[in-house]
Amino acid sequence: MKFLTLILLTFSLFLPAFAEDADAARAPRKVLKAVGEIPVLFNGRVMPLDSFARLHLLQFSGRKSYQGESAISWMGRLLFVPESTEDDAVFLINHPEVLTAIGVENFQMLPGERKPSTRRFSYHHLMPGVMKLEEIARRAQAMQDADPEALKSKEYLVEREALRVYVNVLTYRALGQVFAFARPLEDLRLESPEIREALKVQLGEDTFSYLELGKRISGLAPLMIEAQAQEDPTQWTEAQQDAFTLAQMMFMFQQNLSELPLTMLPEAPHGESIWIAPMDGLSSPDGDQALVNAAERSGAMALAWAAGDWDEVANDAKMITEFSRSRMKHVRETGLTGKEAQFNRANYFVRAKVFYIFGFFIALAALLSGNRILRLAAWVPVSIALVLHLSGLAWRIYLTARPPVTNLYGTFLFVGLICLLLALLVESFQKNGLGLFAGSFVALTFLFIADRFAAEGDTMHKVVAVLASNFWLSTHVLAVTTGYAGVWFAGVFGHIWLVLKMLGKDKKTLETVRLPMEGLLGFGLTFAFLGTMLGGVWADQSWGRFWGWDPKENGALLIVLWTAVVYHARVAGLIRDVGTAVGTVVGCIMVMVAWLGVNLLGVGLHSYGFTTAMATGFYGFIGFELVFILICLTVILVQEKAVKAS
């Protein structure tokens, strides 16, 4: 039968046999801007396609760009010309044992690179082991379904990693098929004169897409009606048999490629936020012609991208964006996709890190040399970094319509900013470069830590229920995190004081560190106490009790009690400079316990933001601080004994 090739085509859709010599041209910047602003619904939030692309490339590779190519450019190639991404090394594999288990090489030579890649691999490289990867992943999923804690053991490291990689491979394949309905079906040939006449195929038309055939499929109705009128199917003509086969293949195509993971078209105008993939929009059950037109327009955009017709791509993208915005006016985020894409392109926090690095080294040079010119020069990059840091936070507040502390990622951005502002205040009083040095270091560190949490997914996702109050986010949470900043920064000065003490610095030098250390400790205590009390009021309104010994509540109380003990012991003369410095360093541990440690318990009303990699970093930090304190106390004790002996 002439249409047997259709069967092979249908099954090949899920074994993407991409062309090996495909070379998709890079889209111009204005085209990427237009495409990147298209609204899509992902994980319950309307976001620009640019954010969708960044999140998925980050999920696949651990990076937000591919070899200098922006995420939206790479995602455009995957969506519109998927064969062009087959050799891109975008699949991050953290454990080479997975590659051994699926029977593929644990390195891959990349074009233009001297050294082979040992962490990131292409779809083409993994393809021979996909069946084995699926087998391991299914086994791991079954274990996880039976016991959610099972895969957390080191014993099942390979299974856990295989499951993650397999999910990424499946997502990659599915995204590559989103616009398959618009691409020509190369294996399909309409040779029957009756079929060509019924579908009104013109002379010279040899290749067809599902989209094109879908518009003409009703032409097969007379042939199928005639066939159904006959009681014996064996008496059907070849044309009638081919008509049924073609209709069946079209149905299978629709079933296999429905509900793909790019929901970019709002289904119901001005109603519930139900978004669907372009393929699903072609067959609107309510006869929504505007939706069908938008779906067809998206298919035209895919073909225009593949053909390099960039003006057409930009026009189609803008029309799709306007279609979605006109339907979803009641959803604020839909109208902000252009602004969010602009925020993504600005990379405020990445640029801030660069200036923080410059500021740190200039301030360090000023500290070591005592050069006034260098100290003043350090203000320039630190000030620029501060403006970028503030701008990034302001954008996040505007885009989310919430304060900047709705998740752990946001808290690190905010606490880093508060620490820097405190550092600049210290610098304005002391004018010795110490504030610039400490502030740039802490702000830079927290931005890098924030990046670690950004790698876990969308940083502007819908907030958890416990945070669904802008008033309390602006009071309790901001007060508590400001307290974190004060106690933490006091601990930073405690570290510096202990190091200087071990180095045998004079009393005057130590005094320049001790004074801000104690002042910051009092600042942190004030805001930690205020935030904890406000949290009790919030808890009383939300849950009907002021205090419930929840782990997060206990963590906040721990900071208040420890800081109060250290501060009052110092004021009462129970401890001196060394004890105060050590107490502030322990305060850093208390902050980290309250900030991250209680999340490791996985229980309580405040249990959110947990990541599997958090435990290792948390325990490593605690161990480092305890060793640091032990070394400092030992060295200082030896020094004091030596002084007494002399």
Side-chain angles (χ1 to χ4, degrees):
M1 187 179 293
K2 297 182 180 65
F3 294 97
L4 282 178
T5 54
L6 279 170
I7 298 176
L8 297 176
L9 172 65
T10 301
F11 289 105
S12 70
L13 290 172
F14 292 92
L15 297 173
F18 300 142
E20 296 182 0
D21 58 349
D23 181 21
R26 301 286 175 88
R29 182 175 299 179
K30 68 173 185 177
V31 175
L32 295 177
K33 180 177 180 293
V35 173
E37 293 179 1
I38 295 175
V40 301
L41 182 69
F42 180 63
N43 283 347
R45 183 173 82 86
V46 178
M47 63 177 66
L49 187 59
D50 181 84
S51 293
F52 179 90
R54 289 168 182 257
L55 289 171
H56 279 79
L57 189 55
L58 189 65
Q59 173 187 329
F60 295 161
S61 68
R63 295 173 176 169
K64 293 183 180 179
S65 62
Y66 174 71
Q67 294 186 350
E69 181 181 12
S70 67
I72 186 60
S73 176
W74 184 85
M75 180 58 68
R77 291 196 293 118
L78 174 58
L79 292 173
F80 306 134
V81 197
E83 59 270 21
S84 68
T85 66
E86 189 182 22
D87 290 316
D88 295 345
V90 295
F91 292 102
L92 174 66
I93 298 182
N94 293 309
H95 305 292
E97 294 87 348
V98 173
L99 298 166
T100 302
I102 66 176
V104 300
E105 294 285 352
N106 57 9
F107 66 90
Q108 179 183 354
M109 293 302 304
L110 301 178
E113 299 290 337
R114 293 183 178 181
K115 294 182 179 180
S117 173
T118 57
R119 295 195 66 201
R120 291 174 178 83
F121 302 87
S122 67
Y123 177 80
H124 181 267
H125 184 85
L126 297 177
M127 189 61 189
V130 164
M131 297 299 291
K132 184 64 177 178
L133 181 65
E134 179 181 5
E135 178 185 331
I136 299 173
R138 289 186 181 279
R139 185 168 66 245
Q141 187 63 59
M143 293 171 58
Q144 192 172 57
D145 291 341
D147 179 8
E149 302 294 319
L151 294 182
K152 293 184 179 180
S153 169
K154 291 184 179 181
E155 180 182 356
Y156 298 109
L157 182 146
V158 172
E159 285 79 3
R160 184 169 65 246
E161 182 71 358
L163 179 59
R164 184 189 67 81
V165 174
Y166 183 64
V167 169
N168 287 343
V169 169
L170 285 183
T171 304
Y172 168 86
R173 285 168 141 183
L175 289 173
Q177 295 301 328
V178 168
F179 292 98
F181 70 89
R183 292 192 285 270
L185 305 173
E186 299 294 344
D187 295 332
L188 174 62
R189 294 292 181 269
L190 300 178
E191 299 176 358
S192 169
E194 293 90 340
I195 296 295
R196 293 178 67 89
E197 182 180 354
L199 297 179
K200 298 181 180 179
V201 176
Q202 301 296 321
L203 186 66
E205 287 187 87
D206 295 321
T207 58
F208 309 89
S209 67
Y210 171 87
L211 178 59
E212 294 169 330
L213 289 176
K215 295 178 181 179
R216 308 181 185 187
I217 197 69
S218 59
L220 298 179
L223 286 173
M224 298 175 69
I225 292 173
E226 291 176 5
Q228 289 177 328
Q230 301 182 35
E231 296 182 0
D232 185 5
T234 61
Q235 300 301 314
W236 289 357
T237 65
E238 184 175 354
Q240 291 170 342
Q241 293 175 12
D242 289 350
F244 270 97
T245 302
L246 179 58
Q248 183 180 11
M249 292 303 102
M250 292 285 288
F251 176 77
M252 291 175 62
F253 190 103
Q254 181 183 14
Q255 291 295 107
N256 289 334
L257 295 182
S258 64
E259 299 183 3
L260 289 170
L262 180 62
T263 50
M264 59 181 285
L265 299 176
E267 186 176 37
H270 314 298
E272 187 178 354
S273 296
I274 300 176
W275 295 59
I276 58 177
M279 171 76 179
D280 301 320
L282 294 175
S283 53
S284 172
D286 302 325
D288 188 346
Q289 190 57 45
L291 177 61
V292 174
N293 292 341
E296 292 179 353
R297 193 88 188 193
S298 69
M301 178 175 64
L303 294 178
W305 182 295
D309 187 350
W310 304 123
D311 289 338
E312 180 65 21
V313 173
N315 290 334
D316 290 337
K318 290 176 182 177
M319 292 194 68
I320 294 168
T321 298
E322 289 305 316
F323 165 80
S324 298
R325 288 178 179 171
S326 64
R327 289 201 160 199
M328 292 289 116
K329 291 180 180 178
H330 60 290
V331 179
R332 179 177 179 272
E333 295 92 332
T334 310
L336 293 177
T337 56
K339 298 295 185 182
E340 184 175 335
Q342 181 182 345
F343 167 72
N344 291 340
R345 292 191 296 270
N347 281 324
Y348 288 106
F349 301 119
V350 173
R351 291 156 61 193
K353 283 190 290 188
V354 174
F355 285 101
Y356 278 135
I357 291 173
F358 281 120
F360 170 77
F361 282 109
I362 296 174
L364 176 60
L367 272 176
L368 296 176
S369 65
N371 189 301
R372 179 176 174 273
I373 301 300
L374 283 176
R375 179 177 66 80
L376 294 175
W379 274 95
V380 176
V382 173
S383 298
I384 295 174
L386 172 62
V387 171
L388 291 169
H389 199 150
L390 276 170
S391 299
L393 278 176
W395 268 98
R396 285 178 57 83
I397 293 170
Y398 169 66
L399 292 171
T400 61
R402 291 190 178 277
V405 286
T406 56
N407 49 39
L408 287 174
Y409 172 81
T411 63
F412 279 102
L413 297 179
F414 180 74
V415 172
L417 177 65
I418 297 299
C419 286
L420 179 64
L421 293 176
L422 291 173
L424 297 182
L425 184 63
V426 170
E427 181 65 25
S428 66
F429 281 104
Q430 295 194 334
K431 296 181 174 61
N432 59 1
L434 182 61
L436 293 170
F437 166 77
S440 58
F441 173 76
V442 173
L444 178 65
T445 301
F446 280 152
L447 285 184
F448 275 114
I449 295 175
D451 282 346
R452 178 64 189 85
F453 285 93
E456 299 296 326
D458 186 13
T459 63
M460 290 193 284
H461 57 73
K462 299 291 185 181
V463 298
V464 294
V466 72
L467 297 179
S469 169
N470 273 0
F471 173 76
W472 290 111
L473 279 174
S474 302
T475 53
H476 157 65
V477 180
L478 288 182
V480 165
T481 48
T482 300
Y484 286 176
V487 176
W488 183 275
F489 208 42
V492 170
F493 277 86
H495 284 79
I496 296 173
W497 191 94
L498 290 170
V499 171
L500 294 177
K501 180 67 174 178
M502 286 192 296
L503 295 175
K505 295 298 181 180
D506 59 86
K507 186 175 181 179
K508 182 180 179 181
T509 301
L510 293 174
E511 196 71 1
T512 62
V513 180
R514 182 189 66 80
L515 289 175
M517 176 180 69
E518 293 183 359
L520 290 166
L521 191 65
F523 175 89
L525 172 59
T526 301
F527 277 91
F529 176 78
L530 176 63
T532 303
M533 292 302 100
L534 289 172
V537 178
W538 187 5
D540 185 56
Q541 291 189 2
S542 299
W543 302 317
R545 88 293 187 280
F546 182 83
W547 194 265
W549 299 106
D550 183 83
K552 199 74 171 180
E553 295 171 347
N554 295 338
L557 180 62
L558 188 64
I559 294 176
V560 173
L561 292 178
W562 177 259
T563 308
V565 166
V566 174
Y567 196 78
H568 288 85
R570 172 61 179 174
V571 172
L574 298 177
I575 58 175
R576 298 187 182 277
D577 294 350
V578 175
T580 305
V582 171
T584 60
V585 173
V586 175
C588 288
I589 297 177
M590 299 304 175
V591 169
M592 198 55 65
V593 168
W595 202 349
L596 300 180
V598 295
N599 297 61
L600 298 175
L601 300 175
V603 296
L605 296 168
H606 297 76
S607 181
Y608 51 86
F610 174 81
T611 65
T612 55
M614 187 191 298
T616 301
F618 173 76
Y619 293 127
F621 168 78
I622 300 297
F624 171 82
E625 294 289 31
L626 293 176
V627 171
F628 175 81
I629 292 172
L630 180 61
I631 292 174
C632 290
L633 289 177
T634 302
V635 172
I636 292 172
L637 181 61
V638 170
Q639 288 176 340
E640 290 179 349
K641 286 185 177 181
V643 171
K644 290 180 180 179
S646 63

